[in-house]
Amino acid sequence: WGGNYLFALDVTDPDNWSILWELTIEAVFSYHGSGGFTAGVTLTGQSSGATGQVVYDDTENDELTLKETSGLFQDGETVFVDSDGDGELDAGEDSVMVDQAVVVEMGHAYRASVNKVKWPVRDNQGDIIGYEQKSVVYVATGFLNIATGHGGINVFALDLVTGDKLWHFSDEYLSSVNDIPGAVTLADINGDNLMDRVYVADMDGRLWELDALDGTNPNGTVEVEGVTKQMPLWNAGVGKPISVSPA
């Protein structure tokens, strides 16, 4: 089956090791109503009792990204900042209504790949002022959309030291449930000994190519039944699995 829990250990002292970071599940939901939440506050669902900590807040797009969820938020329920931890929405605690809750599980994977990339360094205005070598963990997983019965693929890029998610590529397949993809293969395409491309194949016959820095797909998109879908580098077709890592 592989695993759906990725973590890093600090074994500098083998007799006193510690967990550096872990990746399990994240949840994204959109909301309507005025205002937004500040990163770092803990939210509670009034009807589900689920909790999660905000790590990203984009009030323009009305989208919040959560981590450390102990349960699933439900569409139509009130989500609020549980300041006093009593599990109840009290006067003075900010709240919004959930429009759509989408849970993205890490999925199952066999192993991760680690290497260095040429990472841009930016100033306070977001302009690139230089580059540094960054060690990055790449892992590809399958997933299952319970609501539709469709599968797909996830690819995560994580900072090796902090575990921070640098990017996440995901594509849902319309007619099949993807099994666990093979391990990621990294490639240096310009000869500087730093990784530029991520390649991963899956059990539905797709071979994906992604930019190692930002996870963008250089092969673009295509319209399928009115839905914009990512275009793989190669598609052998369902029933023709690619069961090994790209060479």
Side-chain angles (χ1 to χ4, degrees), residues 82-242:
D82 192 8
S83 303
D84 54 12
D86 65 354
E88 300 292 335
L89 176 57
D90 305 316
E93 292 181 337
D94 294 332
S95 66
V96 295
M97 186 75 73
V98 176
D99 283 336
Q100 183 180 20
V102 179
V103 175
V104 180
E105 294 192 48
M106 177 183 156
H108 291 90
Y110 284 125
R111 63 182 175 87
S113 299
V114 182
N115 217 312
K116 293 182 178 181
V117 300
K118 183 179 179 180
W119 198 261
V121 177
R122 301 179 183 273
D123 61 18
N124 293 334
Q125 285 72 45
D127 297 324
I128 296 176
I129 57 176
Y131 293 88
E132 64 180 359
Q133 291 188 17
K134 180 186 288 289
S135 294
V136 180
V137 180
Y138 298 93
V139 61
T141 80
F143 73 87
L144 173 62
N145 185 323
I146 300 297
T148 64
H150 296 160
I153 190 169
N154 290 314
V155 183
F156 296 92
L158 310 167
D159 188 302
L160 177 62
V161 176
T162 66
D164 291 340
K165 186 178 69 176
L166 303 175
W167 54 260
H168 170 209
F169 172 86
S170 184
D171 193 60
E172 182 175 349
Y173 301 164
L174 297 180
S175 60
S176 58
V177 176
N178 185 33
D179 206 341
I180 309 171
V184 168
T185 296
L186 304 174
D188 168 22
I189 63 174
N190 60 9
D192 63 358
N193 295 318
L194 300 172
M195 299 302 105
D196 305 296
R197 288 288 187 269
V198 175
Y199 295 94
V200 59
D202 62 38
M203 299 300 287
D204 282 326
R206 293 169 174 83
L207 174 61
W208 295 97
E209 177 187 33
L210 304 173
D211 189 299
L213 289 183
D214 56 17
T216 55
N217 177 6
N219 301 293
T221 59
V222 63
E223 292 291 322
V224 179
E225 299 178 6
V227 178
T228 301
K229 303 297 295 177
Q230 296 287 336
M231 176 70 73
L233 176 63
W234 173 256
N235 190 349
V238 177
K240 299 178 182 179
I242 305 175

Side-chain angles (χ1 to χ4, degrees), residues 10-26:
D10 183 348
V11 293
T12 305
D13 181 355
D15 295 325
N16 189 29
W17 56 269
S18 61
I19 297 177
L20 286 177
W21 51 263
E22 58 190 274
L23 172 68
T24 53
I25 186 174
E26 66 175 339

